[in-house]
């Protein structure tokens, strides 16, 4: 059983949680970690030494005495080791390096053409990660910059078989079906590369940043497409093959039911995604080229665009109502470019309250993902950090 598969209770005082307590400032010494975890000082010391040997923690001097020997203070190294992170979209990619506490060191947004194919796109993104590591003056004091890189996390805007890193039947990604991202990257870098769906990484980044205290959450990514990530018992839930949370091809009631890229009709993505809104507006004679244009129309109060946004919000709310009634999360948060579309968000919220059981919504938080454009690379970095900790 890996650290991602272990129950939350079993992780109490595990290496990842010890690292998180130090990274957040909740603990600055072994004594603090022992108090928070309930573990014996000897067990905590053993786990801390393992983290120090991996370069995940460091001792920074003596702290304040409380009647005995002054405790040795602990910290997450802020210079030296970094992780690379890529959040790939259909037209843009966010690429960054983060330190071992999950703090963004450097980040850039690059234009991409997903239709250029996996080799060209991924090759360019890996090169950009290497450039960022090489540009970091603290990346490797006394050594080579590339030696500072501990791993790379990559988010893909399509279904990913997490165990293998292979893409399976993605929408709007010609030439990517069946491509083994992990194997391709392994042939080009000498560090672990971990691949996951972009909505999962958004969920992980948002949860670790905004709601680490909550056990159950659903995060929706609504942009050109629609997906979601699920947090269960405090950890990312992928299901048997990695498709847990994929709401994009759940059918909603729509008349007429528009065709979907999966071959069916009336799927949520065909009704409520950014791409669907562009198609629907064009069908009504509105000249709009992309999602940016749709959002501009909505912000300007355009009647047709606003009506479609409200319909999309109801469709998302109908699917999420099933999810909320079944899963009973503590928070439902929406991110992606459509998260700032107030008519969509208001309609989604109203539908949730209308369709869900009172017990499921009486303490439910419904909100926007508030961690900004770096939420995806933050999730990708935490994926790598968890992998490194599990191997320590």
């Amino acid at each position: 059983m890996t650290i991602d598969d272990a129950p939350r209770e079993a992780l109490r005082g595990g290496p990842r949680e010890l690292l998180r307590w130090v990274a957040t400032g909740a603990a600055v010494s072994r004594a603090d970690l022992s108090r928070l975890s309930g573990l014996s000082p000897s067990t905590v010391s053993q786990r801390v030494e393992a983290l120090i040997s991996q370069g995940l923690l460091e001792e920074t001097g003596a702290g304040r005495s409380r009647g005995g020997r002054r405790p040795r203070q602990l910290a997450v190294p802020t210079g030296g080791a970094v992780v690379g992170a890529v959040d790939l979209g259909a037209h843009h990619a966010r690429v960054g390096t983060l330190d071992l506490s999950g703090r963004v060191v450097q980040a850039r947004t690059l234009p991409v053409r997903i239709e250029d194919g996996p080799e060209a796109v991924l090759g360019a993104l890996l090169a950009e990660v290497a450039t960022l590591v090489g540009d970091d003056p603290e990346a490797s004091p006394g050594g080579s910059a590339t030696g500072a890189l501990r791993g790379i996390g990559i988010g893909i805007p399509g279904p990913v078989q997490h165990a293998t890193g292979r893409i399976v039947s993605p929408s709007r990604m010609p030439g990517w079906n069946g491509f083994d991202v992990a194997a391709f990257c392994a042939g080009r870098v000498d560090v672990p590369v971990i691949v996951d769906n972009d909505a999962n990484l958004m969920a992980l980044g948002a949860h670790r940043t905004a709601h680490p205290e909550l056990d159950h959450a659903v995060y929706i990514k609504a942009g050109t497409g629609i997906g979601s990530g699920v947090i269960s018992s405090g950890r990312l839930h992928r299901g048997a093959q990695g498709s847990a949370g994929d709401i994009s091809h759940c059918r909603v009631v729509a008349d007429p039911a528009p065709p979907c890229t999966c071959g069916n009709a009336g799927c949520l993505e065909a009704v409520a995604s950014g791409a669907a809104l562009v198609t629907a507006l064009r069908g009504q004679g509105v000249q709009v080229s992309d999602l940016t244009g749709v959002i501009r129309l909505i912000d300007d109060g355009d009647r047709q665009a606003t009506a479609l946004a409200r319909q999309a919000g109801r469709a998302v709310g109908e699917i999420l109502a099933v999810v909320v009634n079944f899963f009973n999360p503590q928070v439902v948060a929406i991110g992606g470019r459509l998260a700032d579309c107030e008519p969509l968000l208001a309609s989604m919220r109203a539908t949730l309250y209308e369709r869900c059981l009172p017990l499921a919504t009486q303490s439910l938080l419904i909100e926007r993902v508030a961690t900004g454009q770096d939420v995806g690379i933050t999730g990708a970095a935490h994926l790598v950090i968890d992998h490194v900790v599990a191997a320590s």
Side-chain angles (χ1 to χ4, degrees):
M1 178 166 50
T2 68
I3 195 168
D4 279 333
D5 296 326
R8 188 174 181 85
E9 295 77 7
L11 297 179
R12 186 77 178 172
R16 187 175 74 187
E17 192 159 24
L18 297 183
L19 181 65
R20 181 174 64 83
W21 280 328
V22 175
T24 59
V28 296
S29 68
R30 290 169 173 81
D32 290 340
L33 293 174
S34 182
R35 173 176 51 82
L36 288 169
S37 66
L39 298 173
S40 69
S42 60
T43 299
V44 167
S45 182
Q46 182 182 31
R47 294 181 180 181
V48 166
E49 291 301 324
L51 291 170
I52 290 174
S53 69
Q54 289 287 318
L56 301 172
L57 285 179
E58 64 181 4
E59 293 179 331
T60 59
R64 180 181 302 174
S65 172
R66 296 182 178 178
R69 186 167 54 185
R70 296 172 68 189
R72 290 172 292 172
Q73 289 189 299
L74 300 170
V76 175
T78 55
V82 294
V83 295
V86 175
D87 184 17
L88 176 61
H91 306 292
H92 298 88
R94 187 72 171 167
V95 183
T97 55
L98 297 88
D99 65 24
L100 297 179
S101 69
R103 180 184 66 88
V104 175
V105 177
Q106 295 189 87
R108 298 174 186 168
T109 299
L110 306 174
V112 299
R113 284 169 40 91
I114 204 77
E115 61 269 25
D116 286 345
E119 292 92 345
V121 172
L122 293 172
L125 295 176
L126 290 175
E128 186 64 26
V129 171
T131 299
L132 288 178
V133 174
D135 286 347
D136 183 3
E138 296 184 343
S140 186
S144 66
T146 54
L149 189 64
R150 302 297 297 271
I152 301 174
I154 300 178
I156 300 292
V160 174
Q161 191 175 48
H162 176 70
T164 65
R166 191 179 294 275
I167 301 173
V168 182
S169 301
S171 301
R172 293 184 295 275
M173 295 180 70
W176 289 72
N177 183 39
F179 189 77
D180 193 333
V181 177
F184 174 84
C185 296
R188 286 157 179 78
V189 296
D190 295 327
V191 295
V193 176
I194 306 177
V195 187
D196 211 330
N197 172 263
D198 61 341
N200 279 348
L201 296 189
M202 186 197 75
L204 186 61
H207 182 254
R208 295 282 177 88
T209 304
H211 292 299
E213 78 285 357
L214 299 182
D215 288 333
H216 310 295
V218 175
Y219 294 91
I220 302 95
K221 186 171 185 179
T224 301
I226 288 184
S228 75
V230 178
I231 300 294
S232 178
S233 298
R235 60 184 177 86
L236 187 62
H237 177 70
R238 296 187 179 90
Q241 295 294 327
S243 67
D246 191 346
I247 60 174
S248 56
H249 299 292
C250 294
R251 193 177 193 280
V252 296
V253 176
D255 188 23
C260 182
T261 55
C262 71
N264 290 316
C267 297
L268 181 64
E269 186 162 298
V271 172
S273 67
L277 295 180
V278 171
T279 300
L281 282 170
R282 287 175 178 172
Q284 295 179 12
V286 178
Q287 298 301 311
V288 61
S289 59
D290 54 23
L291 181 54
T292 299
V294 174
I295 294 173
R296 187 181 301 117
L297 287 172
I298 294 169
D299 289 342
D300 290 342
D302 180 85
R303 177 179 57 84
Q304 291 166 287
T306 300
L308 285 172
R310 292 189 183 280
Q311 292 174 18
R314 282 194 292 274
V316 175
E318 288 174 2
I319 297 300
L320 287 180
V322 177
V323 174
V324 169
N325 281 331
F326 179 80
F327 179 55
N328 191 201
Q330 295 155 295
V331 60
V332 169
I334 182 169
R337 298 184 66 196
L338 284 175
D340 293 327
C341 178
E342 189 57 41
L344 185 149
L345 189 62
S347 185
M348 181 194 82
R349 181 182 287 112
T351 303
L352 273 173
Y353 282 122
E354 176 188 346
R355 298 293 182 90
C356 290
L357 295 170
L359 183 61
T361 58
Q362 66 180 9
S363 60
L364 178 67
L365 298 173
I366 305 174
E367 61 187 27
R368 292 184 178 92
V369 172
T371 44
Q373 64 179 340
D374 288 334
V375 64
I377 61 171
T378 299
H382 278 287
L383 202 65
V384 175
I385 293 167
D386 288 352
H387 175 82
V388 173
V389 171
S392 66

